Amino acid sequence: MKSKLWRGCTLVLLAGSIAASIERPQTASADVRVAPLQTAQLDTVESGDRPTDTNRFQLLDRGVEPRQELSFSPPENSKEILSVITNMDMNMSIAGRMIPAMDMPGMMMKMETVVDRVEDNGDIHVSFVYTESDVTDAANSPPMMVEAIRSELQKIVGMTGTMLVNKHGATKLANFDLPSNIDPNTQQLFDRTMSSIEEISTPLPSEAIGVGARWQIANSPAVNGMKLEQIATYEIVELQDNRITLDIAVTQNADPQSPQLPGMPPDATIDLKSYTGNGRGTVILQLDKMMPVRGSIAIDSNTQMEIGSKSSNSVQAMPVEMDMTMQMDMESL
């Protein structure tokens, strides 16, 4: 259960950004930045030992000798704390006019996991709780934006749940323990965070592999109503004892579509023209641990679309272009 947490983050600010531009085209506000927790949906494994669907998982190179089957085997009752810090920069233009950029604070989240049970077939039962979340490096950010993001992040603290992960690191099931009386907005936040849990996954091949082994995992995640096509390529650059260092490359594309983004005004129309994203990173895994020892990923994306209004045929749709860079760093103790 490792590091694909960055997947989907390249479009996370989209809904708030466009909503702000429709209602207040001459200004920028904290509303532009309030959606940092939205992530893509990960296809989970339903059965078997193959890390993911065989049609979407492709082993490109088994690497050099010596080769071995790599599987996770954390001891029962072992505990880890994963810390994730995310920083984003965004440039956006509306109808050819650049929107003034604001310094965004970083976002920090910590999650404690416990290995409750390991089955004979290697399946691993894990429970987790979010213990801490807050903004970081906020000195130069607008106070209203900082407080809006902090308020959203604080809703995660105390969330608990469980995961079932196979021995190759693929998340098979993930569940939150939700209170029965939560409001719809908090329910949506839980759902988005649930998706992020499913995405902390870097499945390893079930075949024996060595240094230089390469494999690809293709997914079609839905991010804020947009359907993307993503290919993640992994390569083992170092393998020593039970520690693995992976280089990771990610490409994302989206065909033209008309997504329904959360947070948009009811009469808003969106026509996505194009979306592309490219990223690279490194992650260090340890086979007796469930969380990445250390990882870092940077991804750049470009989104082009037009936004309009159903209730005003006289208003011409406005072209919107957004370039975003996201840096995510993680470490477990």
Side-chain angles (χ1 to χ4, degrees):
M1 185 187 60
K2 306 293 176 181
S3 156
K4 258 167 67 176
L5 184 61
W6 69 87
R7 180 161 60 85
C9 287
T10 54
L11 291 179
V12 293
L13 302 179
L14 196 53
S17 301
I18 299 175
S21 70
I22 290 177
E23 297 179 349
R24 293 174 298 278
Q26 300 299 321
T27 63
S29 77
D31 291 340
V32 175
R33 316 290 184 158
V34 174
L37 302 177
Q38 301 181 34
T39 57
Q41 180 69 31
L42 175 67
D43 296 331
T44 55
V45 175
E46 296 181 356
S47 63
D49 287 333
R50 168 61 76 179
T52 186
D53 189 307
T54 54
N55 292 325
R56 305 180 71 77
F57 185 103
Q58 183 179 8
L59 181 61
L60 305 175
D61 190 331
R62 294 180 59 198
V64 300
E65 296 282 3
R67 301 188 183 105
Q68 59 181 303
E69 181 183 341
L70 302 176
S71 59
F72 295 99
S73 55
E76 292 186 352
N77 301 316
S78 59
K79 297 182 179 181
E80 299 171 56
I81 297 178
L82 176 69
S83 176
V84 180
I85 296 178
T86 305
N87 289 281
M88 298 184 188
D89 291 312
M90 182 176 68
N91 294 311
M92 185 170 65
S93 66
I94 299 176
R97 181 177 59 84
M98 292 297 299
I99 302 299
M102 291 187 291
D103 288 325
M104 290 188 61
M107 295 170 286
M108 179 276 297
M109 292 185 289
K110 289 185 179 181
M111 182 175 69
E112 180 178 295
T113 64
V114 178
V115 176
D116 298 314
R117 180 164 58 92
V118 180
E119 298 183 11
D120 292 340
N121 67 353
D123 281 359
I124 305 162
H125 295 260
V126 180
S127 58
F128 62 88
V129 58
Y130 279 90
T131 58
E132 189 177 347
S133 64
D134 205 348
V135 296
T136 63
D137 300 323
N140 297 320
S141 302
M144 288 182 60
M145 180 174 67
V146 171
E147 290 308 312
I149 294 177
R150 177 179 283 124
S151 176
E152 289 297 303
L153 288 172
Q154 289 298 320
K155 294 179 182 179
I156 287 180
V157 176
M159 283 188 185
T160 63
T162 58
M163 293 175 284
L164 177 62
V165 183
N166 75 9
K167 64 181 180 180
H168 296 294
T171 303
K172 300 172 72 171
L173 296 171
N175 295 288
F176 276 116
D177 297 324
L178 301 179
S180 59
N181 60 343
I182 61 173
D183 63 82
N185 291 333
T186 305
Q187 173 72 59
Q188 187 179 49
L189 177 61
F190 272 105
D191 292 341
R192 293 198 301 261
T193 310
M194 175 70 143
S195 295
S196 73
I197 286 294
E198 293 176 354
E199 289 187 21
I200 308 177
S201 177
T202 300
L204 301 172
S206 56
E207 296 85 352
I209 55 177
V211 174
R214 296 172 58 247
W215 62 96
Q216 285 185 344
I217 299 177
N219 294 95
S220 299
V223 183
N224 294 342
M226 294 186 184
K227 186 174 182 179
L228 308 180
E229 294 298 326
Q230 174 178 282
I231 297 177
T233 304
Y234 303 84
E235 180 178 357
I236 296 179
V237 295
E238 187 174 348
L239 177 57
Q240 185 174 6
D241 298 327
N242 66 344
R243 184 168 286 208
I244 310 163
T245 302
L246 295 174
D247 277 351
I248 304 169
V250 179
T251 61
Q252 295 176 327
N253 291 278
D255 293 329
Q257 54 192 281
S258 298
Q260 299 296 316
L261 301 184
M264 292 295 295
D267 65 342
T269 62
I270 304 169
D271 184 11
L272 178 69
K273 299 300 183 181
S274 68
Y275 168 81
T276 58
N278 293 278
R280 298 198 68 88
T282 301
V283 64
I284 299 174
L285 314 178
Q286 193 160 310
L287 296 177
D288 61 352
K289 295 180 177 292
M290 290 307 303
M291 295 293 159
V293 175
R294 194 176 304 109
S296 180
I297 181 75
I299 188 163
D300 297 312
S301 66
N302 175 269
T303 305
Q304 298 185 32
M305 62 176 59
E306 290 184 350
I307 57 175
S309 173
K310 299 176 184 177
S311 59
S312 180
N313 294 327
S314 62
V315 177
Q316 186 175 3
M318 293 186 297
V320 175
E321 182 171 358
M322 181 171 67
D323 293 304
M324 185 159 63
T325 298
M326 188 204 72
Q327 173 74 37
M328 177 173 285
D329 299 287
M330 61 189 73
E331 186 173 11
S332 64
L333 302 174

